[in-house]
């Protein structure tokens, strides 16, 4: 049973201020009142300060998440996109505190940093808290025939036709958007409802040949009960929203779980109408409006999707990632040639030291990756997260499943010392690799 533990260190009595469902259970100890002026020196007053530990019940949050999930698991047609004319409380608060950060279509461009082939790229998150005049104007543009469009929310990848999904995802060349990768996340128990990831993948259908429906576009979408595993931190927004009297979770999140890799989020089949991506965004907003979730987020998306979402009323939040790109290097020495001499010598010295220690590196792909390699790699994975005080989101079954279904797209680098595996690195091949 997973319990969320809270820590309270406040001056004076605190139990009376807690809601009934969050009060400490019997057997928990309340710390004695601390004078307000002496609060900063609490250690001097109470060397063994007792802290309240109280379980935050998940029943209310999960019940609401289940209710919304059940409401979404049905097929409906988009005749028009509902409007939410009034911004929510969080939008108003944010606008008062940081008006320059949330104005639709605006953002602070950071200078791109480039050195030794590493360039800082922008990582964009979209959060939906209200509706702008730009969106209302954009909705008047020409789009697909609404009477013939069907939007479906799939509760699992298993319910989606593999060939149709890959027809939309293949042009992106991104292995993390493939059917096999997303299916492995769900079937392995890594990204499932019990872990706060309820799949609600959005599918856009239109009539095809012989009266069969054709999948024109799709969006990986999840109903989330927390903000973990996204690598974009919005806990501050959640706290502000709840302090204002709202309920931030569940929220809608378009992303690849546990994978901070930029790529398409509005995936469209080749040959689809030009307005298909716009229709996907309108469908996302319709789902968010009809289910009354606090917000809709699209993270690590492409630049052209950024511009489209801004025109439809989304708010931009900027971040930075560092990517290494091959600038025409044919050998590792060519790459070292971009460094200062002092750094070149240091790197070469480190590599010679590893070689003298007898560490052997091997690169494995396809059928050369065996079960004992995955067993060892999972041990390295859990050991690394434990040292960083992290949580291992991925299960052992996930690695074995991608080893079966994506073996030709994986490069597993394993290091061994005196015949024993001691470290490993997992890589995926993209279409441009």
């Amino acid at each position: 049973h997973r319990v969320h533990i809270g820590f309270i260190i406040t001056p004076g009595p605190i139990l009376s201020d807690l809601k009934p469902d969050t009060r400490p259970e019997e057997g928990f100890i309340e710390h004695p009142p601390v004078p307000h002026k002496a609060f900063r020196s609490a250690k001097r007053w109470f060397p063994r300060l007792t802290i309240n530990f109280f379980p935050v019940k998940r029943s209310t949050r999960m019940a609401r998440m289940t209710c919304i999930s059940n409401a979404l698991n049905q097929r409906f047609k988009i005749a028009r996109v509902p409007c939410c004319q009034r911004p929510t409380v969080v939008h108003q608060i944010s606008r008062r505190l940081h008006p320059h950060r949330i104005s639709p279509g605006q953002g602070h461009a950071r200078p791109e940093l480039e050195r030794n082939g590493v360039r800082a790229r922008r990582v964009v998150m979209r959060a939906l808290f209200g509706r702008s005049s730009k969106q209302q104007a954009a909705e008047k543009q020409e789009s697909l025939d609404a009477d013939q469009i069907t939007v479906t929310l799939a509760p699992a990848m298993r319910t989606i036709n593999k060939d149709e999904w890959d027809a939309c995802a293949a042009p992106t060349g991104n292995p993390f958007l493939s059917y096999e990768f997303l299916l492995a996340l769900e079937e392995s128990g890594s990204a499932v409802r019990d872990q706060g990831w309820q799949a609600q993948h959005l599918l856009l259908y239109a009539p095809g040949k012989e009266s069969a429906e054709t999948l024109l576009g799709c969006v990986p979408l999840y109903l989330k009960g927390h903000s973990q595993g996204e690598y974009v931190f919005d806990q501050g927004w959640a706290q502000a929203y709840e302090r204002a009297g709202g309920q931030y979770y569940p929220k809608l999140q378009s992303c690849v779980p546990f994978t901070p890799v930029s790529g398409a989020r509005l995936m469209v089949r080749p040959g689809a109408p030009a307005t298909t991506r716009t229709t996907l965004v309108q469908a996302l907003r319709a789902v968010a409006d009809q289910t009354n979730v606090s917000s809709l987020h699209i993270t690590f998306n492409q630049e052209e999707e950024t511009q489209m979402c801004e025109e439809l009323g989304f708010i931009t939040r900027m971040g930075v990632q560092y990517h290494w790109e091959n600038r025409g290097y044919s050998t590792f020495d060519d790459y070292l040639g971009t460094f200062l001499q002092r750094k070149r010598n240091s790197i070469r010295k480190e590599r010679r030291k590893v070689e003298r220690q007898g560490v052997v590196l091997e690169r494995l792909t396809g059928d050369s990756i065996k079960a004992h390699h995955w067993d060892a790699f999972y041990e390295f994975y859990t050991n690394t997260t434990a040292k960083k005080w992290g949580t291992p989101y991925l299960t052992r079954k996930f690695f074995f499943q991608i080893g079966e279904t994506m073996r030709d797209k994986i490069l597993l680098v394993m290091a061994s010392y005196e015949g024993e595996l001691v470290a490993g690195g997992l890589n995926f091949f993209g279409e441009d690799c």
Side-chain angles (χ1 to χ4, degrees), residues 381-403:
Y381 168 65
T382 54
N383 183 52
T384 302
T385 55
K387 287 184 176 180
K388 300 294 184 181
W389 297 87
T391 302
Y393 297 124
L394 303 173
T395 64
R396 182 187 298 269
K397 182 179 178 181
F398 168 79
F399 294 103
F400 277 86
Q401 184 162 340
I402 62 173

Side-chain angles (χ1 to χ4, degrees), residues 177-242:
L177 294 170
S178 65
Y179 184 90
E180 293 88 353
F181 188 83
L182 295 174
L183 180 67
L185 287 173
E186 295 180 10
E187 293 195 337
S188 65
S190 302
V192 292
R193 179 183 175 276
D194 291 341
Q195 300 297 332
W197 293 81
Q198 173 61 59
Q200 297 293 336
H201 305 304
L202 190 143
L203 310 175
L204 180 64
Y205 288 95
K209 298 180 180 179
E210 300 178 358
S211 69
E213 289 185 324
T214 302
L215 182 64
L216 294 182
C218 53
V219 179
L221 186 65
Y222 298 88
L223 188 67
K224 292 206 59 192
H226 53 69
S227 295
Q228 300 175 6
E230 302 171 7
Y231 299 96
V232 176
F233 306 104
D234 61 344
Q235 287 85 351
W237 292 1
Q239 294 172 6
Y241 195 90
E242 292 176 359

Side-chain angles (χ1 to χ4, degrees), residues 140-169:
K140 298 179 181 180
Q141 66 182 0
E142 183 180 358
S143 60
L144 297 169
D145 188 354
D147 294 335
Q148 299 184 4
I149 294 175
T150 303
V151 173
T152 301
L153 296 174
M157 289 298 297
R158 180 62 68 182
T159 63
I160 305 173
N161 182 279
K162 177 182 180 300
D163 294 334
E164 289 188 332
W165 180 277
D166 284 340
C168 299

Side-chain angles (χ1 to χ4, degrees), residues 82-125:
C83 292
C84 176
Q85 300 292 344
R86 182 180 179 183
T88 61
V89 177
V90 170
H91 192 188
Q92 296 173 356
I93 292 177
S94 299
R95 203 173 187 84
R96 183 171 66 251
L97 297 179
H98 305 287
H100 63 282
R101 293 185 182 179
I102 67 165
S103 299
Q106 295 183 359
H108 293 282
R110 298 170 180 253
E112 293 189 346
L113 309 178
E114 183 174 343
R115 185 171 184 179
N116 303 125
V118 181
R119 184 177 61 180
R121 286 187 174 179
R122 299 171 179 174
V123 180
V124 183
M125 182 175 73

